[in-house]
Amino acid sequence: MDVVNMSDLHEEGKNAINAPMLLSGTDIHPEDTLLEENAERLMLDPTSRENLKFKDLLKVLIDWINSELEEERIIVKDLEEDCYDGQVLQKLFEKLSGRKLNVAEVTQSEIGQKQKLQTVLEAVNDLLRPHGWTIEWSVDSIHSKNLVAIVYLLVALAMHFQAPIRLPEHVSVQVVVVKKREGILQTALVTKELTSTTEMMMGRFERDAFDTLLDHAPDKLNVVKTSLITFVNKHLNKLNLEVTELESQFADGVYLILLMGLLEDYFVPLYNFFLTPESFEQKVHNVAFAFELMQDGGLKKPKARPEDVVNLNLKSTLRVLYNLFTNYKNTE
């Protein structure tokens, strides 16, 4: 004869009562039943994993980490599996911040991993909090391989350190929130915004004439581009150079440097820049050097980042060229 355990029976009855409150298709993990009263757990909704913009965001972040940590011979393939123990996050933060953290190099035990994560996240939070960041991650969420928390953290680091990458705009995911209230498990579906617009993410909240132009008067954009092409060719033609595509032909910085030399009437020594840049870094060097020449000529520092110009961001390139146009339009 089977003996019925009254506590098991009570638990089974409670689960049966709770069942209608759970979202259909949502897997409730065994650890959910162990949640403390009023505690909650977040999980990425399975459908969001297949979101193309979200997949694109993951790829951009993975490529960025691998680029930053190339010298460490660290290769990240999966953010959940490769970031949860704190090793990659430690190396990434040290590279970006130039600070060495006092942590054990290799930690296999869960306690050791969480201690490392604690040290890394304290350093990250101390850096980001004064700048108004909402901390959307914790030691437990990262260590439990919560992909949303990991992505929030990486996006924040990329934005704070102005990583030379373009994060996909307006990436949102659905997150299942499991809460325990009065001993009853409740679930809800919540939308989490992981990225906004490029300008907002890079901290340039002010809108200017080009934002308005691109948003509301794209027909006038061609007029502006034609005027700028006429202006740059008036000077570059002296070197038998011709521009037809603004966003692509200025992206490696060479034409910008040569243009500054023509406008200010000096020869730029070839050893100061890469005449045929091949890598992203060489192109960024060139554009940054062109920006220095502009400031030497009395112009304000461009709003755009060199990385934006290299990444073929039309708005950024237009801003830079328009700045030159307004200052040098009467130069012969």
Side-chain angles (χ1 to χ4, degrees):
M1 176 180 169
D2 293 333
V3 178
V4 177
N5 186 316
M6 290 306 292
S7 63
D8 288 349
L9 192 62
H10 174 70
E11 194 64 35
E12 192 176 327
K14 196 162 68 173
N15 286 341
I17 295 170
N18 293 349
M21 304 186 71
L22 302 178
L23 292 168
S24 61
T26 301
D27 291 327
I28 298 301
H29 292 240
E31 60 263 35
D32 293 333
T33 57
L34 304 175
L35 282 174
E36 298 287 328
E37 183 65 21
N38 292 322
E40 64 178 42
R41 200 169 78 85
L42 277 68
M43 299 173 290
L44 182 64
D45 185 61
T47 56
S48 286
R49 281 188 181 272
E50 301 308 312
N51 181 308
L52 292 179
K53 287 176 79 170
F54 181 59
K55 283 184 168 182
D56 186 28
L57 176 59
L58 297 185
K59 183 180 185 309
V60 170
L61 291 171
I62 288 171
D63 289 346
W64 169 57
I65 295 171
N66 288 334
S67 173
E68 290 290 345
L69 300 183
E70 191 175 8
E71 291 178 9
E72 298 279 348
R73 300 217 165 99
I74 289 175
I75 298 176
V76 170
K77 295 181 179 177
D78 183 290
L79 292 181
E80 290 160 294
E81 294 301 326
D82 296 334
C83 291
Y84 83 95
D85 62 359
Q87 180 77 3
V88 167
L89 293 177
Q90 173 213 335
K91 295 295 184 186
L92 181 63
F93 180 77
E94 289 180 340
K95 173 76 190 307
L96 295 172
S97 67
R99 283 178 52 196
K100 186 79 176 153
L101 297 177
N102 185 21
V103 290
E105 276 303 309
V106 180
T107 47
Q108 299 294 341
S109 70
E110 181 178 334
I111 293 173
Q113 290 170 352
K114 286 190 171 182
Q115 285 173 340
K116 173 178 275 198
L117 270 175
Q118 182 76 34
T119 303
V120 174
L121 294 187
E122 280 177 3
V124 170
N125 297 350
D126 288 346
L127 183 74
L128 297 181
R129 230 185 232 113
H131 295 277
W133 284 97
T134 302
I135 307 302
E136 299 272 5
W137 50 84
S138 65
V139 171
D140 286 336
S141 62
I142 300 287
H143 195 266
S144 64
K145 304 179 184 179
N146 181 323
L147 185 55
V148 175
I150 292 169
V151 169
Y152 263 129
L153 173 59
L154 293 173
V155 167
L157 288 173
M159 288 158 61
H160 179 81
F161 287 103
Q162 297 199 327
I165 57 176
R166 288 197 67 72
L167 296 168
E169 297 184 340
H170 299 300
V171 179
S172 295
V173 291
Q174 297 283 302
V175 172
V176 180
V177 182
V178 183
K179 294 182 180 178
K180 187 177 252 188
R181 292 277 164 84
E182 298 179 3
I184 297 172
L185 288 179
Q186 302 175 355
T187 64
L189 207 55
V190 177
T191 300
K192 292 280 188 180
E193 186 184 54
L194 299 173
T195 68
S196 55
T197 65
T198 299
E199 278 73 21
M200 290 285 281
M201 288 189 286
M202 292 308 175
R204 296 189 294 281
F205 295 94
E206 73 278 9
R207 290 178 61 77
D208 61 17
F210 283 111
D211 289 301
T212 308
L213 188 71
L214 286 173
D215 291 346
H216 304 295
D219 52 316
K220 294 181 182 175
L221 182 62
N222 285 331
V223 177
V224 174
K225 288 170 77 173
T226 302
S227 299
L228 292 176
I229 286 174
T230 302
F231 163 70
V232 297
N233 280 335
K234 172 185 169 183
H235 299 282
L236 288 174
N237 284 168
K238 297 168 188 173
L239 298 175
N240 293 321
L241 299 174
E242 180 104 14
V243 168
T244 54
E245 286 290 328
L246 290 178
E247 49 267 68
S248 59
Q249 286 183 269
F250 285 97
D252 65 5
V254 175
Y255 277 17
L256 271 182
I257 294 168
L258 297 176
L259 183 59
M260 278 310 301
L262 290 163
L263 293 171
E264 284 288 335
D265 196 23
Y266 56 68
F267 176 75
V268 183
L270 296 179
Y271 57 77
N272 278 338
F273 66 101
F274 298 96
L275 191 57
T276 54
E278 295 178 2
S279 69
F280 183 85
E281 289 73 18
Q282 289 177 351
K283 293 175 184 178
V284 169
H285 168 89
N286 279 359
V287 177
F289 178 57
F291 285 7
E292 287 177 26
L293 297 180
M294 291 173 199
Q295 290 172 268
D296 290 345
L299 277 70
K300 287 184 179 178
K301 183 180 180 181
K303 285 182 184 177
R305 297 185 312 142
E307 291 85 358
D308 296 335
V309 176
V310 176
N311 278 324
L312 308 180
N313 183 306
L314 175 60
K315 247 190 283 191
S316 298
T317 306
L318 286 179
R319 285 192 182 102
V320 173
L321 294 174
Y322 189 75
N323 196 22
L324 294 179
F325 173 73
T326 54
N327 281 274
Y328 296 101
K329 59 186 173 187
N330 296 321
T331 302
E332 287 303 319

